[in-house]
Amino acid sequence: MLNPDGSTAYDENGKAVVKKRKVGKPTKPNLDKIKERMRAQIYVDKRKWSDAKYKAHASVVCGTGDKIITAEVENKMSFFKERDPIAYQVCVEVIRAVACAWDGYELTGQGRCSWELLSLLQSVEFFIEEGKPAEDMNMTEAETKRDYFQLERLRAQKWCTSLRAKYREYVGEDLEKSC
């Protein structure tokens, strides 16, 4: 604890006083802001770009997506542990933004982003593996359909598979072989 002048406060015994802080729940990620942040990275004015910046565009977009997933899912694991589907919704929004822009003219340098794309997909696929139901959990198909956490996990898995297929189609080889 600090005094108003910035110096350390002490109690009557001469020991430094430490103010205990309440640790609250982290705030839920705002999906609209995540979508907007990804759109701002993808849809930019490229008229004054150099060749190097033009070629590195997809890498920057994938790096931004990886940072968002780290900040909103990895650093806020309580949502994941509580089986809150928001954790996967963040992953889906990031991967969907990249996958939807992949074939268009908005995203450039797709063939040069193998490391960043692999890092992004591996971080999402790690959470997909972590969220699998346990082998001893005998969930029926109807229970799985009601479990929004598992539905969002399957959506994230579908988007990862789709993005890997788009990369394979664009480059001509698997992502792991490119790195």
Side-chain angles (χ1 to χ4, degrees):
M1 185 172 185
L2 298 177
N3 287 326
D5 64 354
S7 62
T8 305
Y10 297 95
D11 63 4
E12 58 276 350
N13 297 332
K15 294 188 178 186
V17 177
V18 179
K19 184 178 179 184
K20 292 184 180 178
R21 294 180 3 185
K22 279 187 174 180
V23 178
K25 262 184 114 174
T27 57
K28 278 197 172 190
N30 186 338
L31 292 176
D32 293 329
K33 286 186 179 181
I34 290 171
K35 287 179 194 176
E36 189 58 40
R37 189 170 169 198
M38 289 302 293
R39 263 191 239 121
Q41 284 291 321
I42 294 170
Y43 303 100
V44 294
D45 184 18
K46 300 178 190 88
R47 288 180 284 178
K48 297 181 181 180
W49 278 13
S50 66
D51 265 357
K53 191 167 184 180
Y54 193 81
K55 291 174 184 174
H57 184 220
S59 297
V60 170
V61 170
C62 291
T64 301
D66 202 19
K67 288 178 187 173
I68 290 172
I69 289 173
T70 300
E72 301 296 342
V73 179
E74 193 174 322
N75 293 346
K76 299 178 180 179
M77 283 298 286
S78 62
F79 295 124
F80 193 76
K81 289 177 183 169
E82 293 171 359
R83 300 179 57 80
D84 190 342
I86 193 77
Y88 286 120
Q89 289 170 352
V90 169
C91 296
V92 165
E93 290 305 325
V94 169
I95 296 291
R96 182 191 308 164
V98 176
C100 290
W102 190 266
D103 294 327
Y105 65 90
E106 298 89 11
L107 194 64
T108 60
Q110 293 96 319
R112 298 174 173 264
C113 69
S114 57
W115 287 101
E116 291 82 4
L117 182 61
L118 184 62
S119 173
L120 173 65
L121 288 173
Q122 283 177 341
S123 62
V124 173
E125 289 166 349
F126 170 78
F127 291 116
I128 290 171
E129 282 299 312
E130 289 294 310
K132 275 187 179 178
E135 301 257 338
D136 58 347
M137 272 181 73
N138 295 326
M139 290 180 71
T140 64
E141 191 173 325
E143 289 173 331
T144 305
K145 286 183 180 176
R146 284 193 306 262
D147 188 0
Y148 292 118
F149 182 76
Q150 290 300 322
L151 289 175
E152 289 298 324
R153 186 184 74 76
L154 294 173
R155 258 180 76 207
Q157 190 172 21
K158 182 188 91 169
W159 279 105
C160 285
T161 305
S162 168
L163 191 54
R164 280 184 183 276
K166 286 184 179 198
Y167 182 87
R168 187 178 315 110
E169 181 183 323
Y170 188 85
V171 175
E173 64 182 4
D174 286 338
L175 185 58
E176 284 77 13
K177 291 180 182 178
S178 297
C179 294

